[in-house]
Amino acid sequence: MTAGLLAAISGIAERAGREILRHYHPGIEARLKNDRSPVTAADEAAESVILPALEELASGIPCVAEEACARSGLPPIDLWGRFFLVDPLDGTREFLAGSGEFTVNICLIEDGRPILGVVHLPALGATYAGGPAGATLAVAGEAPRTVTARPKPSDGVIVLASRSHNEGSELDRYLADMPVSERIAAGSSLKFCRIAEGLADLYPRFGRTMEWDTAAGQAVLVAAGGSVVTLADRPLTYGKPGFINPNFVARGHWK
C-alpha cells in the first residue's frame, strides 16, 4: 500500500507540474499575499489539480495546502494524526526568474512525522520520492533510481543556501567553525533533494519557513538516510501552531 500510495502521489505531482509549465513564460504576473510572498496563476492552477486528486486518492485524510490557507486561513488540526501538506509551487520567485528550480511538494504526515513525500521539478523533468522503502529519483520518464545521502566528508562540507533569501551573518556564524569546501545557492526544496542525492551535505536555514515548504523535502532526505533537525538537534516535526517552522538544519548521513 505504501509503495502504491507514493507512486500515486508522484503522478499527482507530475500532473500539477504539467499545469505549471503551461504558465511558465516571460511576463507572467504575480501578486503579493498578506505575508508579502508572491503568488501566480500557476500556483493556483497546480493546487486545483492536487487537492481534488488527493481527495479521490485518500478521502478522509485532511489536506493543508498553501494557497487554500492563504485564501481561507489555517485549518485546525489539534486532533489530526494524519494529514497531507501541499505546496503546489515551491519557489515562486525561482519560477518568476525562470531559473527552473521550482517544485511541487506533496507530503503525508503521521503523528508529526513526514512519512511519504514527493518533490517534483517540472522544468527539469525530475521527481524525487521518499518513504519507508528509501528514496528515489526519476528523470524524464526513466525508471526511478535509488538515491542515498552521503556521510559527512572529512575534507569539508558542501553547503547549500537559499538563492532567494539572504541569511548572511547568521549563516556565517553557524559555519564559522566548520570546514566548508563549497557554498552553492539553490532554490526551493531542491536543496533537500540535492543532499538526499549525495551532491551536497548541509542546508542550514535561518528565517521563516512554513511546514509545506519543508515536509516533502524532509521526507525524501530522511528516506535517503539524512536528517532535518532544529538548532537544538531535535527532529523537525509537523502540526505545530501556525504551521511555522523554527530555524533548522538539513544534513546528510551524519553520525
Side-chain angles (χ1 to χ4, degrees):
M1 176 61 181
T2 297
L5 183 59
L6 191 56
I9 293 172
S10 296
I12 292 169
E14 289 164 3
R15 282 171 50 200
R18 290 192 290 273
E19 185 65 24
I20 288 170
L21 291 180
R22 290 175 61 264
H23 300 268
Y24 189 43
H25 53 74
I28 186 170
E29 294 184 358
R31 66 181 189 277
L32 293 179
K33 296 184 287 188
N34 289 338
D35 65 359
R36 310 305 294 169
S37 65
V39 63
T40 70
D43 299 70
E44 294 165 334
E47 194 166 281
S48 72
V49 169
I50 295 168
L51 297 188
L54 288 178
E55 174 63 24
E56 182 177 350
L57 175 66
S59 179
I61 298 180
C63 199
V64 179
E66 179 177 11
E67 304 315 329
C69 290
R71 290 190 301 272
S72 305
L74 297 171
I77 62 161
D78 293 347
L79 302 179
W80 297 358
R82 201 177 199 207
F83 61 97
F84 286 109
L85 276 168
V86 173
D87 191 338
L89 202 173
D90 182 37
T92 302
R93 289 180 176 87
E94 301 299 329
F95 174 82
L96 291 167
S99 77
E101 293 184 353
F102 53 88
T103 63
V104 178
N105 299 345
I106 305 175
C107 186
L108 178 62
I109 305 296
E110 279 193 1
D111 297 324
R113 297 183 302 113
I115 63 165
L116 294 175
V118 170
V119 176
H120 173 59
L121 290 99
L124 304 183
T127 302
Y128 295 85
T136 61
L137 166 61
V139 180
E142 296 179 358
R145 63 177 178 86
T146 299
V147 294
T148 306
R150 68 180 187 174
K152 182 179 180 180
S154 58
D155 57 349
V157 298
I158 297 175
V159 176
L160 298 176
S162 173
R163 179 179 286 119
S164 301
H165 301 275
N166 182 10
E167 296 169 297
S169 58
E170 285 183 288
L171 180 60
D172 290 339
R173 285 194 295 271
Y174 182 81
L175 297 174
D177 297 322
M178 188 178 300
V180 175
S181 64
E182 188 176 4
R183 287 200 203 187
I184 301 173
S188 72
S189 56
L190 175 61
K191 295 183 282 293
F192 295 92
C193 298
R194 291 296 190 228
I195 300 173
E197 200 177 351
L199 299 179
D201 304 294
L202 193 67
Y203 165 40
R205 179 56 194 260
F206 301 94
R208 182 183 173 94
T209 60
M210 302 299 290
E211 293 187 0
W212 47 72
D213 296 319
T214 61
Q218 181 171 344
V220 171
L221 179 52
V222 169
S227 61
V228 183
V229 298
T230 67
L231 297 186
D233 203 30
R234 298 180 181 277
L236 185 63
T237 58
Y238 291 83
K240 301 182 294 296
F243 298 93
I244 300 170
N245 289 324
N247 296 337
F248 65 83
V249 180
R251 60 195 184 192
H253 186 58
W254 292 22
K255 297 181 178 179

